[in-house]
Amino acid sequence: MTAVTAPPVVRFAPSPTGRLHVGNARAALFNWLFARRHGGRFVLRLDDTDRDRSTEPFAQGIQDDLCWLGLTWDRLERQSARFATYDAARDRLIAAGRLYACYETPQELEFRRKRLLAQGRPPVYDRAALRLTDADRARLEAEGRQPHWRFRLEPGDVRWHDLVRAEQHVDESSQSDPVVIRADGSYLYTLPSVVDDIDFAITHVIRGEDHVTNTAAQIQLFRALGAEPPLFAHLPLLVGGDGHSLSKRLGSLSLADLRQQDIEPLAICGLLARLGTSDPVEPVASLQPLIDTMDFARIGRAPARFAEADLQTLSQRTLHVLPVDSVRDRLDPAAARLGEPFWLAVRGNLARVADAADWLPVVQGTLQPVVEDAAFLAQAAEVLPPEPWSDGTWKTWTSALAKASGRKGRALFHPLRLALTAREQGPEMARLLPLIGRPRTLARLRGDAA
Ligand code: GLU
């Protein structure tokens, strides 16, 4: 297991520019499970520096989605409230000569990039801006150009031990100095993220593999700001069942949509926690078993396949193990009043919690029994045990009836099911019978609507 010496502090850092999809949920889940497993803290950080695209409804939606999954946070931070802190870090880095002003237009940069590629050279930014004099800069600004700012990378290898990907290294000489502040003064994600990770004392950065390429520059930024970098764990890409990147189908895989489809949140967590591991996917009745088995060492490096059909199946299997307390507030009021005995009777036959109501007429409503053999049912009524009834009554009754009638198997059981439920199949009769009760059972055996 991954060695953890002190309680970790982790963060999940979505941008509120849309609702969460299963890929985000996976990053959130691993952060949360890791924090809970090691007695640490889980920070929800809303990366809302992009003021045009971030909205309050999305910020609220993300929080709703996380609560629905059961992934509650210990601290909530919004980057939009922290610009003064980022500005202070920016000024320190400028003073230290690690941020430098650049004036190239996107067209100029693209032209240079193409030229380098045509020469068969890597398209690395040539740091021309570092050679500008004060007079050059004054002239460019007088022309109306606003600078964007790059972070000057130190040359050489940056190495880190990734908790999923093992030893990693990036040769920074092969990388362009990243732009961290745009010409309009807005921050790209890199600098605020590192400043926050330092301020919130983040110990482990757990996120998708798509961020691996940012990591080396971020490690240099941590050091430039006088901090030790955290540990990193980059989760392999999640791909759709067809092997394509999930992002192509984001719309249909948002958590909000899955919730609309009555997918069980514990099924989403159960599946996401196991994808890309060799552990079997099993339904869970709480997040605890996932916490107990959370370990980066179990995660493989290959892309993890996510198939919606697997989620549907696991959602049903999850219902079949959920206790009534987990579903009570989603049950039809009449079903909720019947409580645990009813839930335990029907849960194994449900695809959605709401479907429990379909079985209400069988135990407390009126139905027209299906009578195939009235004489047999009359015989059944004669040996029907007196109340009180329990889950054992069905066995007592049908054993007596087997003896009296000489029937067994389907010939014995099926006419009883048809008479008592008017359906071909359904929950275990042993659990249903006490809920139906003796008077209603007798009426239905006579063929009366009851
Ligand atoms: N806001 C970034 C994203 O959503 C956070 C990445 C990170 O975890 O560092 O991709």
Side-chain angles (χ1 to χ4, degrees):
M1 193 173 104
T2 307
V4 179
T5 45
V9 184
V10 297
R11 86 299 193 279
F12 171 55
S15 298
T17 53
R19 291 294 287 263
L20 297 183
H21 54 82
V22 284
N24 306 127
R26 180 154 167 265
L29 177 69
F30 276 101
N31 274 288
W32 188 89
L33 292 175
F34 186 70
R36 294 292 174 262
R37 168 128 218 213
H38 298 286
R41 289 165 62 76
F42 174 70
V43 179
L44 170 59
R45 185 183 90 198
L46 295 173
D47 284 4
D48 55 356
T49 52
D50 183 341
R51 285 165 157 169
D52 293 335
R53 292 175 56 228
S54 302
T55 71
E56 193 45 41
F58 284 141
Q60 193 52 54
I62 287 171
Q63 293 173 65
D64 291 347
D65 291 341
L66 288 175
C67 288
W68 178 64
L69 288 178
L71 310 181
T72 47
W73 48 94
D74 305 304
R75 177 172 176 179
L76 173 68
E77 291 288 345
R78 289 172 181 260
Q79 289 196 322
S80 56
R82 294 178 42 78
F83 283 114
T85 314
Y86 308 143
D87 292 348
R90 173 199 63 197
D91 294 346
R92 278 174 58 201
L93 291 168
I94 292 174
R98 294 302 296 273
L99 289 195
Y100 61 99
C102 303
Y103 294 86
E104 293 90 348
T105 63
Q107 293 76 11
E108 285 164 355
L109 290 172
E110 186 53 21
F111 176 74
R112 283 190 214 171
R113 217 178 69 85
K114 287 207 173 120
R115 197 176 50 197
L116 287 169
L117 286 172
Q119 293 166 354
R121 290 160 61 191
V124 178
Y125 176 62
D126 61 6
R127 293 184 162 169
L130 272 179
R131 295 186 292 275
L132 295 175
T133 62
D134 286 349
D136 293 333
R137 278 191 283 269
R139 180 178 45 77
L140 287 162
E141 293 195 18
E143 281 173 14
R145 293 210 194 186
Q146 291 299 319
H148 57 274
W149 296 81
R150 288 188 190 260
F151 174 59
R152 186 171 56 72
L153 296 171
E154 303 278 16
D157 253 3
V158 173
R159 297 180 171 275
W160 77 93
H161 179 85
D162 195 285
L163 297 176
V164 177
R165 300 165 61 84
E167 295 313 315
Q168 302 287 297
H169 69 98
V170 175
D171 176 8
E172 294 290 56
S173 321
S174 68
Q175 303 290 311
S176 295
D177 291 338
V179 176
V180 293
I181 304 174
R182 298 184 188 90
D184 66 2
S186 64
Y187 288 98
L188 279 108
Y189 138 84
T190 314
L191 179 60
S193 181
V194 168
V195 169
D196 288 347
D197 288 343
I198 295 171
D199 280 7
F200 307 154
I202 300 300
T203 59
H204 296 72
V205 167
I206 304 164
R207 58 188 177 188
E209 201 169 61
D210 47 330
H211 286 287
V212 159
T213 48
N214 300 331
T215 304
Q218 289 184 0
I219 287 175
Q220 288 214 13
L221 256 182
F222 277 99
R223 299 217 164 104
L225 290 167
E228 252 322 288
L231 297 175
F232 291 89
H234 287 98
L235 305 168
L237 224 63
L238 209 55
V239 293
D242 53 5
H244 290 302
S245 159
L246 266 191
S247 55
K248 299 214 172 77
R249 311 192 46 213
L250 281 190
S252 62
L253 286 168
S254 78
L255 295 182
D257 285 343
L258 294 173
R259 185 175 185 173
Q260 281 258 308
Q261 292 168 31
D262 287 315
I263 296 290
E264 287 301 309
L266 276 171
I268 299 176
C269 293
L271 187 61
L272 291 177
R274 290 290 177 263
L275 285 185
T277 74
S278 52
D279 299 336
V281 177
E282 298 285 359
V284 290
S286 78
L287 290 167
Q288 194 59 46
L290 305 180
I291 296 174
D292 295 340
T293 50
M294 195 284 153
D295 186 2
F296 290 119
R298 296 170 115 108
I299 304 173
R301 287 195 47 184
R305 246 168 224 271
F306 178 94
E308 258 183 285
D310 295 344
L311 187 57
Q312 296 278 359
T313 314
L314 187 62
S315 183
Q316 290 195 22
R317 291 176 63 208
T318 299
L319 277 187
H320 306 170
V321 300
L322 283 185
V324 69
D325 287 340
S326 303
V327 297
R328 204 185 293 273
D329 54 354
R330 291 187 283 151
L331 283 174
D332 174 284
R337 269 194 302 280
L338 290 169
E340 185 168 49
F342 177 70
W343 174 248
L344 294 184
V346 301
R347 67 178 182 180
N349 280 77
L350 305 179
R352 309 173 316 143
V353 170
D355 297 343
D358 294 350
W359 294 99
L360 283 171
V362 172
V363 303
Q364 61 168 212
T366 301
L367 58 78
Q368 184 58 52
V370 176
V371 176
E372 280 186 338
D373 180 343
F376 173 66
L377 295 182
Q379 202 176 15
E382 269 166 41
V383 293
L384 188 65
E387 283 180 318
W389 282 1
S390 68
D391 286 1
T393 304
W394 173 256
K395 180 106 193 21
T396 316
W397 180 32
T398 51
S399 302
L401 183 56
K403 224 179 244 155
S405 66
R407 293 191 188 203
K408 57 184 192 237
R410 188 176 160 87
L412 173 68
F413 299 118
H414 197 59
L416 298 178
R417 178 180 289 282
L418 282 178
L420 296 184
T421 72
R423 303 184 198 193
E424 288 285 340
Q425 306 154 9
E428 269 178 64
M429 290 304 298
R431 286 190 187 274
L432 279 184
L433 189 67
L435 293 164
I436 296 171
R438 199 165 192 275
R440 201 178 264 118
T441 300
L442 283 174
R444 290 178 186 170
L445 291 174
R446 282 194 304 269
D448 296 342

